[in-house]
Amino acid sequence: MSDSKKNTTPPSSGITRRSALKGFAATGAAAAAAQVAPGAVRYVQAQTSEPLKLGFQVHRTGIGAAYGRWYERVVNACVAEINANGGIAGRQIEIVAEDDGTDPKRGAEMVEKFATQHGVDIAFGTLFSHVVMGSAPRAGELKLPYYVVSEGYHVASGALNRYTFQPGITDVRSQVMSMAPWVAGNLGKKVTMIYPDYAFGHDHRDYFSEAMKKQGGEIVELIPIPPTETSYTKYFPKIPSSTEVLYHVMVGPGVLTFVKELGEHFGSNRPELFGFIDSLEAVPLASPGLEFLEGTYFWEGYPRYAQPDQTPYDKHYRQAVGVNDDGASVNDPKDISTYSHMFGCWETLYTIKQAVEASGYKGPKDKAALVEATEAITDIPWSNQHPQGDKVFNGKMHQVFGHQNISQVANARLDVVHRTSIEDGMYENDTDYTKMPL
Amino acid sequence: MSRSRVGDRAVLLHLAVIAALFLVQFVVGDYQHLSLARVMVLAVYAVGYNILFGYTGLLSLGHAMFFAAGLYGAGLTATYLSFGVPAAFVAGIVSGLVLSAGIGLIALRTTGVAFMIVTMMFAQAGYLIVLYFGAFTRGDEGIVLTGDIRTAHLFGLTLDLTSATVRYNLALGLLAVAVLLSLALVRSPMGRVLVAIRENEERARMLGYDTFRAKLFALVVSGTFAATAGAAYGLMFAYVGATFASIQYSILPLLWVLLGGVGTVLGPLVGTLLMFYLVDFASGYTSAYMLVVGVALLGLVVWFPKGLLGTLREKRLPWLP
């Protein structure tokens, strides 16, 4: 049902669009409309054996395609596993995947399509922040539970709505602030930051600066890079000589050029380098031009390379998804995964399973109960269902908090040198979605 | 056939299309209902674009800046100045009007390819300005409009913008105004002047018309239509983001107009509608749906070089405005 108001307070008299639609049902026009009629009608007679339909909003094309490809593989693997083990509350999962082109307008249309044409129970999987921001209002107004896997701070910031959750991946604010104690304690306290000059970069700038100051550190220079930039040489002279740590987060196709030019600028006499693996997701570390990164450090949400202390959960997850110990596809070792992010889809699906089963969800009429059951989740144990690590879900913020990893590039692979505590990434704010009406 | 009868037939056709769109909402499913509201708002953008491109012959590659001016004019005033929906909507329209007048005074000193490049440059600057002022705009991520701004209070009426029915009919009202204004314009003496400029600007000037002023008028009308669509889009769908200021959103109205029929009043609506359903349908079968769109456009060039309605006018309905 597209009109949220009507859901709760149906008009008592007069001709409404809905009643007119019913009136036309016997006509040829309605016959045509029936092809695109909402699935909600069918759920009136829904049996619990009917598949649980999950709308998967995937970036198959556009700037998010590399991530989207792997998100889809993880989703398919996870759904196969859940279905093989009896599904969710005894119902098999049916995935309805739609490409949003990594575009916020198309994303919003996808959410509408999920809710009203496909009649899905739940939508999930959105990655890029602008697509989440463009889509989430529609999910909220259509009262469609919407589980994003984005790492943006948008959910916890309170900008979205009661129906939007991020239970499978930590947000950038949490990630960034949890890095600061280790960076200040091990690499240096005078930091220059290079970041893309848009919202994602600004979150890094703001929250890392704040966290470093708490550690007694100092941001000696901020160097924003315009998103249209293709060469970075002219920015490097702005790096003060007092810099002890160069913090870099560059996303997009320019990253190889960035690293190459950075190497040419510094030569062998470089400060410590700390970056975010977002720059190099789906990129082989052995790529020509990346040699300069040897010995430098990266944030990893989930270590790409299997570590000596690999858990059975990680082993299970890699095997299920088809990823080898180097974070590449088992079918094509050159096809590098987006390992630090894609686990979010796996964990989100298991969180959905947990919430659906806890709420006794049978159909759309139980969506409010599903929302409340998700909000009631607190501790999430380290397990096959949550292979990245144990987590704490904040029901008020609709955001999960977890461990982060700091890895060093050694012999063109990444070795974890530090794993943060969940508390390192915890913060407080005023967000309380539970006060919003359902 | 007399000219007035031809004119009446044209008016009747446009009124019939609007009436049909009104009735359609009672028979389509929910998804089509939601989608049509979005398509109608974007069609207003295309109708505006057509005034400049289709009737005046000026190909702008920077109209996203006007759409974004409306989008941000409404979104920022609603977010930071607590403007209500009507005031924010007007702020968006005024933003587009002022911007298009300013840009027009500069860009219209150029013609042809130079005009395309200059408008594209301005639009790119606009896009970067949105990113630069990320503290207010949240850059690429954008702003979500929530709370009071989802309800409009106007003349004692309270309109809930989260209601699909309200959104549909607001979008239809907007489109009706845009189409009828466009029809009135192209049939007015000024409309004839614009067509004269499109066909031969030198000759129009020789006949004594101030072509710069006429082109500026067309650009301001076109930019204001675009801003109106942008303001409506932001307020109706609760999202304001930099994507809408990007080059992609300058190209889209061009494609919509080309598809529907350059220099036809209803062509932009037809083009916007067809492009939406082409993408929506093709994306259900392949991730290469933009390739399908490309092939469709190639087919268009071969079989409908003047767009669907343009070719229809040429071959069957010469009275189509």
Side-chain angles (χ1 to χ4, degrees):
Chain A
M1 188 82 185
S2 57
D3 187 339
S4 57
K5 288 279 172 176
K6 284 188 204 162
N7 269 338
T8 50
T9 54
S12 55
S13 63
I15 297 173
T16 65
R17 202 180 68 79
R18 171 58 59 197
S19 61
L21 180 58
K22 285 176 182 168
F24 278 104
T27 67
Q35 293 181 339
V36 290
V41 176
R42 293 193 300 277
Y43 283 110
V44 173
Q45 295 97 20
Q47 302 298 310
T48 51
S49 58
E50 190 167 318
L52 190 74
K53 283 175 94 169
L54 304 186
F56 177 30
Q57 193 179 1
V58 56
H59 305 331
R60 280 187 184 139
T61 56
I63 191 174
Y67 279 94
R69 190 173 74 248
W70 279 100
Y71 267 41
E72 194 156 13
R73 289 177 186 172
V74 171
V75 165
N76 290 338
C78 190
V79 168
E81 178 173 291
I82 293 175
N83 281 344
N85 292 321
I88 294 179
R91 297 167 68 181
Q92 294 286 289
I93 299 173
E94 179 186 335
I95 290 289
V96 181
E98 287 270 4
D99 175 23
D100 60 22
T102 327
D103 177 78
K105 170 184 164 287
R106 190 74 190 135
E109 290 165 5
M110 286 304 92
V111 166
E112 291 176 348
K113 197 171 187 180
F114 285 145
T116 60
Q117 179 157 307
H118 295 306
V120 304
D121 297 275
I122 291 161
F124 79 103
T126 327
L127 166 59
F128 271 56
S129 292
H130 62 313
V131 185
V132 170
M133 293 288 272
S135 307
R138 302 304 303 125
E141 290 172 6
L142 291 162
K143 297 186 182 298
L144 177 67
Y146 184 50
Y147 297 74
V148 302
V149 190
S150 165
E151 79 173 356
Y153 176 56
H154 33 53
V155 177
S157 70
L160 301 179
N161 53 65
R162 183 103 192 243
Y163 284 81
T164 304
F165 297 90
Q166 188 152 251
I169 192 165
T170 56
D171 67 87
V172 66
R173 177 176 179 179
S174 174
Q175 294 165 2
V176 165
M177 62 184 280
S178 66
M179 297 292 100
W182 189 87
V183 170
N186 295 276
L187 301 183
K189 296 201 171 184
K190 293 185 174 179
V191 180
T192 291
M193 297 184 73
I194 298 184
Y195 53 92
D197 196 11
Y198 53 78
F200 177 70
H202 296 168
D203 280 344
H204 277 267
R205 175 196 65 194
D206 297 343
Y207 297 119
F208 188 74
S209 300
E210 181 185 296
M212 274 307 277
K213 281 172 192 161
K214 280 187 185 162
Q215 300 298 321
E218 178 190 358
I219 305 298
V220 292
E221 189 65 60
L222 294 170
I223 305 178
I225 308 282
T228 49
E229 198 59 88
T230 53
S231 176
Y232 309 91
T233 312
K234 64 174 178 275
Y235 296 98
F236 298 140
K238 295 180 184 172
I239 301 170
S241 56
S242 61
T243 300
E244 294 170 353
V245 184
L246 185 65
Y247 179 109
H248 62 99
V249 51
M250 297 299 299
V251 182
V255 66
L256 293 178
T257 310
F258 173 78
V259 172
K260 179 173 168 289
E261 292 179 353
L262 196 64
E264 288 166 357
H265 177 78
F266 281 117
S268 58
N269 186 26
R270 62 164 173 78
E272 292 288 1
L273 258 61
F274 182 85
F276 265 64
I277 200 68
D278 302 59
S279 319
L280 297 172
E281 284 280 69
V283 176
L285 281 176
S287 299
L290 293 187
E291 301 85 355
F292 179 67
L293 293 176
E294 192 70 15
T296 72
Y297 299 89
F298 277 95
W299 163 86
E300 285 195 286
Y302 193 175
R304 178 188 294 184
Y305 293 84
Q307 301 296 308
D309 59 349
Q310 184 187 26
T311 63
Y313 316 131
D314 182 56
K315 199 170 277 184
H316 170 84
Y317 168 72
R318 281 179 196 265
Q319 191 174 13
V321 177
V323 174
N324 66 22
D325 285 351
D326 293 337
S329 166
V330 291
N331 298 322
D332 179 6
K334 289 180 182 169
D335 187 4
I336 307 298
S337 69
T338 57
Y339 210 76
S340 271
H341 296 81
M342 67 191 198
F343 73 89
C345 288
W346 182 280
E347 300 205 3
T348 297
L349 281 166
Y350 273 108
T351 303
I352 289 171
K353 176 176 160 64
Q354 183 182 347
V356 167
E357 291 176 347
S359 66
Y361 179 91
K362 296 284 190 298
K365 65 178 173 37
D366 301 322
K367 281 177 180 173
L370 176 61
V371 167
E372 288 172 335
T374 309
E375 288 169 344
I377 293 172
T378 50
D379 296 330
I380 298 171
W382 205 347
S383 59
N384 277 347
Q385 290 75 41
H386 299 278
Q388 188 268 350
D390 54 320
K391 295 181 180 63
V392 173
F393 185 73
N394 185 319
K396 288 183 177 177
M397 291 187 201
H398 286 195
Q399 177 61 53
V400 81
F401 293 86
H403 300 275
Q404 314 296 338
N405 303 280
I406 296 174
S407 303
Q408 186 175 28
V409 182
N411 301 316
R413 54 172 279 136
L414 285 154
D415 295 330
V416 175
V417 296
H418 178 68
R419 184 169 169 85
T420 69
S421 70
I422 295 177
E423 289 70 30
D424 285 339
M426 296 281 249
Y427 56 82
E428 294 292 328
N429 67 18
D430 297 332
T431 301
D432 187 355
Y433 288 116
T434 63
K435 288 179 181 167
M436 289 183 174
L438 278 163
Chain B
M1 190 179 295
S2 73
R3 189 173 164 178
S4 64
R5 281 190 61 196
V6 168
D8 291 345
R9 190 189 284 187
V11 172
L12 282 175
L13 171 70
H14 289 75
L15 289 175
V17 168
I18 292 163
L21 281 171
F22 177 76
L23 293 174
V24 155
Q25 65 179 310
F26 298 108
V27 294
V28 293
D30 283 351
Y31 176 56
Q32 312 305 325
H33 186 251
L34 292 168
S35 299
L36 281 173
R38 199 183 296 273
V39 165
M40 286 191 289
V41 173
L42 293 173
V44 172
Y45 181 21
V47 167
Y49 189 85
N50 192 36
I51 289 170
L52 189 68
F53 174 53
Y55 288 102
T56 319
L58 288 168
L59 202 165
S60 158
L61 289 180
H63 253 48
M65 68 181 142
F66 304 130
F67 187 84
L71 191 78
Y72 280 97
L76 293 179
T77 52
T79 304
Y80 296 108
L81 302 178
S82 301
F83 277 23
V85 173
F89 183 56
V90 171
I93 295 171
V94 171
S95 302
L97 192 149
V98 171
L99 182 68
S100 53
I103 297 288
L105 285 171
I106 302 166
L108 286 172
R109 293 171 187 276
T110 63
T111 55
V113 175
F115 180 76
M116 290 160 56
I117 293 170
V118 168
T119 48
M120 190 166 72
M121 280 171 51
F122 274 121
Q124 189 65 1
Y127 174 63
L128 292 175
I129 285 170
V130 170
L131 299 184
Y132 184 80
F133 289 103
F136 302 102
T137 64
R138 285 294 293 163
D140 58 312
E141 190 173 283
I143 304 167
V144 168
L145 304 181
T146 56
D148 293 343
I149 198 63
R150 305 303 293 134
T151 309
H153 303 283
L154 189 65
F155 306 126
L157 283 172
T158 298
L159 300 172
D160 177 7
L161 293 181
T162 67
S163 158
T165 308
V166 168
R167 269 203 313 270
Y168 186 97
N169 288 290
L170 283 177
L172 176 60
L174 211 58
L175 178 68
V177 170
V179 164
L180 295 177
L181 277 180
S182 177
L183 181 64
L185 173 65
V186 302
R187 297 173 71 201
S188 71
M190 177 56 97
R192 302 290 175 201
V193 174
L194 297 182
V195 171
I197 292 171
R198 180 188 70 192
E199 297 301 320
N200 191 328
E201 186 176 350
E202 286 302 312
R203 186 170 291 178
R205 194 180 296 128
M206 278 175 61
L207 288 170
Y209 292 108
D210 184 343
T211 57
F212 183 85
R213 208 168 70 170
K215 287 195 294 185
L216 183 61
F217 173 79
L219 180 57
V220 170
V221 170
S222 181
T224 306
F225 271 44
T228 304
Y233 192 93
L235 292 168
M236 284 185 188
F237 302 104
Y239 174 67
V240 173
T243 306
F244 294 103
S246 66
I247 182 78
Q248 179 192 351
Y249 281 84
S250 289
I251 302 296
L252 282 174
L254 172 62
L255 295 181
W256 296 333
V257 169
L258 284 174
L259 185 60
V262 180
T264 60
V265 175
L266 288 174
L269 170 63
V270 172
T272 312
L273 201 61
L274 280 180
M275 186 71 92
F276 173 81
Y277 281 104
L278 194 60
V279 169
D280 196 49
F281 179 77
S283 67
Y285 293 94
T286 172
S287 59
Y289 55 88
M290 290 314 286
L291 184 68
V292 175
V293 172
V295 170
L297 286 171
L298 281 176
L300 178 82
V301 171
V302 174
W303 290 296
F304 296 90
K306 295 189 174 176
L308 294 176
L309 292 193
T311 305
L312 193 65
R313 175 168 63 189
E314 193 174 64
K315 297 193 172 170
R316 302 263 178 210
L317 306 172
W319 52 271
L320 206 62

